[in-house]
């Protein structure tokens, strides 16, 4: 049974993925979010809810105790968030990090220049890639509500070949990454509809 800490657990993708964890695995989840009263506990036997800001290093360290995997589903000041996560993970000995970023951070989407709107995504990915964590950075296309699970991945250095990706596809990949030791470790993956 894997113990997964979900940071930014009230995010749209995080909520979708929480459901998939609960339906398809026996993982124990810690949902970490600001203003935790917004979330109802979907399964008190397997889910713990923690009120916290990712930039609060002490609260984060406390939440990291007894975890196997961190899944960070954040937005905003992502470079500071990534710095805080890396330091707290080093200090607590948790190595496995799945970090949601965005397509376009390396200029890998043909014909698209996203410039400074992607700076927080680019800068956070850069510090994670230079850490010695067992990270997987995900660079998804635009999220859709399509039911299908249908995706391809590209490695860093390869051109991104799509535009969209369904939430179901992303959750499928995140759950596989969190529950399969060694899968795509120290890789940055483009993810898009096949
Ligand atoms: N939508 C798309 O098509 C698309 C495509 C590619 C990439 N992405 C990116 O993928 C990521 C995940 O997507 P999403 O739809 O789940 O995003 P989202 O709904 O905006 O969720 C991001 C979460 O981060 C939380 N957060 C921000 N700062 C925090 C902090 N200091 N401490 C704790 N939590 C914090 C927010 O919490 P609060 O609720 O407290 O503000 C929010 O719940 C985002 O960065 C998004 O931009 C999205």
């Amino acid at each position: 049974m894997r113990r997964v800490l979900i940071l930014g657990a009230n995010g749209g993708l995080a909520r979708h993925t929480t459901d998939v964890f609960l339906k398809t695995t026996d993982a124990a989840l810690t949902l970490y979010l600001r203003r935790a009263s917004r979330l109802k506990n979907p399964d008190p036997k397997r889910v713990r809810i923690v009120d916290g800001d990712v930039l609060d290093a002490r609260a984060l360290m406390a939440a990291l105790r007894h975890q196997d995997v961190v899944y960070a589903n954040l937005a905003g000041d992502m470079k500071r968030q990534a710095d805080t996560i890396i330091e707290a993970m080093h200090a607590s000995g948790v190595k496995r990090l799945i970090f949601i970023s965005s397509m376009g951070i390396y200029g890998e989407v043909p014909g698209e220049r996203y410039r400074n709107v992607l700076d927080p995504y680019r800068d956070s990915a850069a510090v994670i890639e230079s850490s010695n964590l067992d990270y997987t950075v995900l660079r998804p296309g635009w999220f859709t509500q399509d039911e299908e699970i249908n995706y391809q991945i590209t490695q860093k250095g390869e051109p991104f070949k799509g535009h969209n990706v369904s939430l179901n596809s992303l959750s499928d990949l995140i759950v596989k990454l969190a529950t399969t030791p060694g899968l795509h470790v120290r890789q940055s993956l483009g993810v898009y509809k096949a």
Side-chain angles (χ1 to χ4, degrees):
M1 195 249 322
R2 302 285 275 173
R3 293 159 302 180
V4 183
L5 173 62
I6 303 182
L7 304 178
N10 201 42
L13 174 60
R15 280 185 280 116
H16 195 89
T17 304
T18 296
D19 286 348
V20 177
F21 270 117
L22 292 175
K23 284 189 187 127
T24 66
T25 76
D26 66 351
L29 307 179
T30 302
L31 307 183
Y32 185 100
L33 69 155
R34 303 185 285 199
R35 294 189 286 124
S37 59
R38 289 179 291 172
L39 266 194
K40 183 172 171 324
N41 193 324
D43 184 348
K45 288 203 193 86
R46 292 173 58 192
V47 178
R48 190 165 64 103
I49 298 185
V50 173
D51 196 304
D53 189 308
V54 164
L55 298 175
D56 179 346
R58 278 176 73 163
L60 188 57
M61 282 288 294
L64 276 163
R65 290 186 63 204
H66 309 302
Q67 302 290 349
D68 300 308
V69 182
V70 177
Y71 154 39
N73 189 104
L74 297 163
D77 191 353
M78 294 175 78
K79 163 71 165 58
R80 260 180 81 206
Q81 292 165 2
D83 284 336
T84 310
I85 292 167
I86 292 166
E87 207 176 313
M89 288 181 70
H90 278 151
S92 61
V94 182
K95 294 274 287 179
R96 184 75 176 109
L97 172 65
I98 300 160
F99 190 89
I100 307 303
S101 182
S102 173
M103 65 175 163
I105 59 171
Y106 310 122
E108 78 277 25
V109 182
E112 296 283 356
R113 289 255 166 272
Y114 293 103
R115 298 178 192 277
N116 49 8
V117 69
L118 286 187
D119 283 351
Y121 296 85
R122 205 172 278 128
D123 296 346
S124 51
V127 291
I128 288 164
E129 290 173 283
S130 59
S131 76
N132 59 16
L133 293 175
D134 290 342
Y135 68 83
T136 305
V137 171
L138 293 188
R139 292 175 280 113
W142 297 112
F143 303 171
T144 73
Q145 307 279 342
D146 293 351
E147 288 291 313
E148 63 184 4
I149 296 175
N150 174 9
Y151 58 94
Q152 281 189 354
I153 57 178
T154 44
Q155 296 289 339
K156 183 174 181 179
E158 294 178 340
F160 198 87
K161 294 183 192 133
H163 298 283
N164 301 332
V165 63
S166 70
L167 288 166
N168 274 345
S169 295
L170 287 172
S171 296
D172 180 81
L173 179 57
I174 292 163
V175 167
K176 283 199 173 102
L177 292 169
T179 55
T180 314
L183 184 65
H184 295 303
V185 161
R186 298 192 65 81
Q187 295 180 8
S188 170
L189 306 176
V191 195
Y192 52 87
K193 181 175 168 164

